[in-house]
C-alpha cells in the first residue's frame, strides 16, 4: 500500500438500522485521530439510512455513499427507484456501481456506463466494481473480462479523477477465499495497463474487495498497487472494521 490516502469502504449491502449507525461511533472516533487522518472511511448503507448517516458523521472524517442507483439521470416515473439526484440530496458523496451482485441480476456494461455518467453529472464519486467469476477464471478469461468491463463501463467518461476501481473477484466475495499474491499482483497490474491504454492516464485508484477480514488484511496491505479495501461482511461489525483499518495502517 502506498502512503497516499487509503480507502476503507464499508458495503453494508441489505443490512443495517439506526442502532447500527450508532455502533459506528467508535469508527468515527478512530477516523478523527491524527494517526488515521490519511484514511478515507466511506460507509455505504442501504438508501433508507443515507440521510441519517450523513447527519451523524457531519463533523467527522467519514463520508457516506450509496450502493447503486438508477441509470436515468433526471426525475421520472420509475417506481421504487433512486437516481443520482436523489442520492445527492441525501448528502452522500459516493456511489458503488457495477457490483457483481447487481451484474448477476442483469445489470450489463451499458447500463453501468449510463449510471456512471449520471453519478458524475451530479458531481458525486464512483466506486466502480469489476471482477471475474470463477468460471471465467477457470477458462482463463480474466484479462478479457476485466478489459471489457473497464472499456465498456468507462466509455466516454471524462471526470476520471472522480472514479475509483474496486477489483472484486466474484469468487472471493463472501466466500472467505482471497486470490494468492501472484494472481492478485497480475490482475492489478493488468487493470492498470488496460486503464492506461484506454484513458491515457495512469492515475486511477484501485481498491481490492472480496472477503477482506482482520486475519488476511495485513498480507493484502503489503501490496503497493492497492489503495484501499471494499469490505462487505466484516464492515458490519465495528470492531472488525476497526481491526482492518488498524492492521492496514500500522
Ligand atoms: P465481502 O463483500 O467482504 O463480504 O466478501 C465484499 C463486497 O461484496 O463488496
Amino acid at each position: 500500500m502506498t502512503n497516499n490516502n487509503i480507502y476503507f469502504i464499508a458495503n453494508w449491502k441489505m443490512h443495517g438500522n439506526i442502532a447500527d449507525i450508532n455502533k459506528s461511533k467508535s469508527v468515527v472516533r478512530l477516523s478523527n485521530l491524527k494517526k488515521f487522518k490519511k484514511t478515507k472511511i466511506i460507509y455505504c448503507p442501504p438508501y433508507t439510512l443515507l440521510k441519517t448517516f450523513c447527519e451523524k458523521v457531519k463533523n467527522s472524517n467519514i463520508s457516506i455513499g450509496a450502493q447503486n442507483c438508477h441509470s436515468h439521470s433526471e426525475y421520472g416515473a420509475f417506481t421504487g427507484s433512486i437516481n443520482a439526484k436523489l442520492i445527492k440530496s441525501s448528502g452522500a458523496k459516493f456511489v458503488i456501481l457495477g457490483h457483481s451482485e447487481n451484474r448477476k441480476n442483469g445489470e450489463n456494461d451499458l447500463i453501468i456506463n449510463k449510471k456512471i455518467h449520471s453519478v458524475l453529472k451530479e458531481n458525486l464519486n464512483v466506486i466502480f466494481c469489476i471482477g471475474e467469476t470463477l468460471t471465467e477464471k477457470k477458462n482463463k478469461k480474466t484479462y478479457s473480462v476485466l478489459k471489457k468491463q473497464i472499456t465498456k463501463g468507462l466509455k466516454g467518461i471524462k471526470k476520471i479523477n472522480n472514479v475509483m476501481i474496486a477489483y472484486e473477484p466474484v469468487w472471493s466475495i463472501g466466500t472467505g477465499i482471497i486470490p494468492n499474491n501472484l494472481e492478485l499482483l497480475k490482475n492489478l497490474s493488468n487493470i492498470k495497463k488496460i486503464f492506461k491504454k484506454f484513458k491515457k492516464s495512469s492515475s486511477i485508484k484501485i481498491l481490492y474487495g472480496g472477503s477482506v477480514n482482520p486475519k488476511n488484511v495485513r498480507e493484502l496491505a503489503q501490496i503497493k498497487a492497492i489503495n484501499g479495501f471494499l469490505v462487505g461482511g466484516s464492515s458490519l461489525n465495528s470492531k472488525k472494521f476497526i481491526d482492518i483499518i488498524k492492521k492496514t495502517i500500522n
Side-chain angles (χ1 to χ4, degrees):
M1 197 132 341
T2 58
N3 285 329
N4 298 327
N5 293 326
I6 298 167
Y7 289 81
F8 296 92
I9 302 180
N11 178 9
W12 276 11
K13 308 193 180 186
M14 205 164 67
H15 298 273
N17 53 37
I18 303 284
D20 294 313
I21 296 184
N22 290 332
K23 282 186 211 147
S24 67
K25 267 190 198 144
S26 48
V27 182
V28 174
R29 277 197 297 274
L30 178 99
S31 77
N32 288 330
L33 299 176
K34 198 168 162 224
K35 183 171 178 189
F36 297 96
K37 279 276 182 271
K38 276 192 170 172
T39 63
K40 298 270 179 210
I41 300 169
I42 304 162
Y43 271 99
C44 300
Y47 294 129
T48 48
L49 296 179
L50 284 177
K51 195 165 168 33
T52 314
F53 219 146
C54 285
E55 280 159 9
K56 291 267 183 202
V57 299
K58 211 164 46 200
N59 299 317
S60 79
N61 216 1
I62 289 184
S63 307
I64 302 299
Q67 297 171 18
N68 198 359
C69 72
H70 194 277
S71 60
H72 192 74
S73 59
E74 297 305 321
Y75 297 126
F78 297 92
T79 304
S81 300
I82 307 274
N83 72 352
K85 267 192 199 303
L86 295 175
I87 290 170
K88 187 172 187 175
S89 72
S90 75
K93 299 273 188 285
F94 291 80
V95 184
I96 297 174
L97 292 174
H99 193 283
S100 63
E101 284 153 15
N102 297 319
R103 290 183 189 260
K104 202 171 68 189
N105 290 331
E107 195 173 86
N108 60 31
D109 295 313
L110 199 75
I111 298 174
I112 295 165
N113 178 252
K114 261 186 102 175
K115 290 183 177 188
I116 296 179
H117 276 283
S118 75
V119 166
L120 294 176
K121 194 173 160 199
E122 292 303 322
N123 290 319
L124 300 173
N125 302 284
V126 174
I127 300 152
F128 172 43
C129 302
I130 58 170
E132 78 287 0
T133 64
L134 188 58
T135 313
E136 289 161 346
K137 170 178 141 78
K138 282 186 179 158
N139 292 335
K140 307 212 177 322
K141 293 265 190 295
T142 301
Y143 182 87
S144 60
V145 167
L146 297 176
K147 187 171 173 192
K148 180 176 101 43
Q149 290 175 339
I150 293 171
T151 52
K152 296 203 167 180
L154 297 180
K155 192 168 172 217
I157 301 294
K158 300 232 159 48
K159 286 198 219 158
I160 214 70
N161 288 341
N162 293 355
V163 179
M164 281 183 265
I165 290 179
Y167 172 54
E168 299 203 298
V170 182
W171 48 273
S172 174
I173 295 175
T175 59
I177 305 166
I178 59 167
N180 67 45
N181 263 16
L182 270 183
E183 188 180 4
L184 194 47
L185 282 171
K186 186 173 122 197
N187 291 339
L188 291 167
S189 135
N190 282 338
I191 290 168
K192 270 206 188 308
K193 270 190 219 147
I194 295 164
F195 180 81
K196 196 170 175 186
K197 209 165 159 209
F198 181 53
K199 287 289 170 193
K200 317 266 174 286
S201 154
S202 51
S203 66
I204 185 91
K205 292 189 174 65
I206 307 180
L207 315 176
Y208 169 77
S211 294
V212 176
N213 64 39
K215 287 202 182 102
N216 60 26
V217 74
R218 249 197 240 281
E219 198 180 334
L220 289 165
Q222 303 297 317
I223 300 177
K224 281 213 170 64
I226 296 178
N227 300 105
F229 301 110
L230 177 50
V231 188
S234 294
S235 71
L236 290 167
N237 175 319
S238 293
K239 259 179 103 172
K240 278 194 187 169
F241 196 42
I242 286 181
D243 225 13
I244 288 174
I245 298 169
K246 283 187 170 166
K247 283 186 173 154
T248 304
I249 302 302
N250 278 335

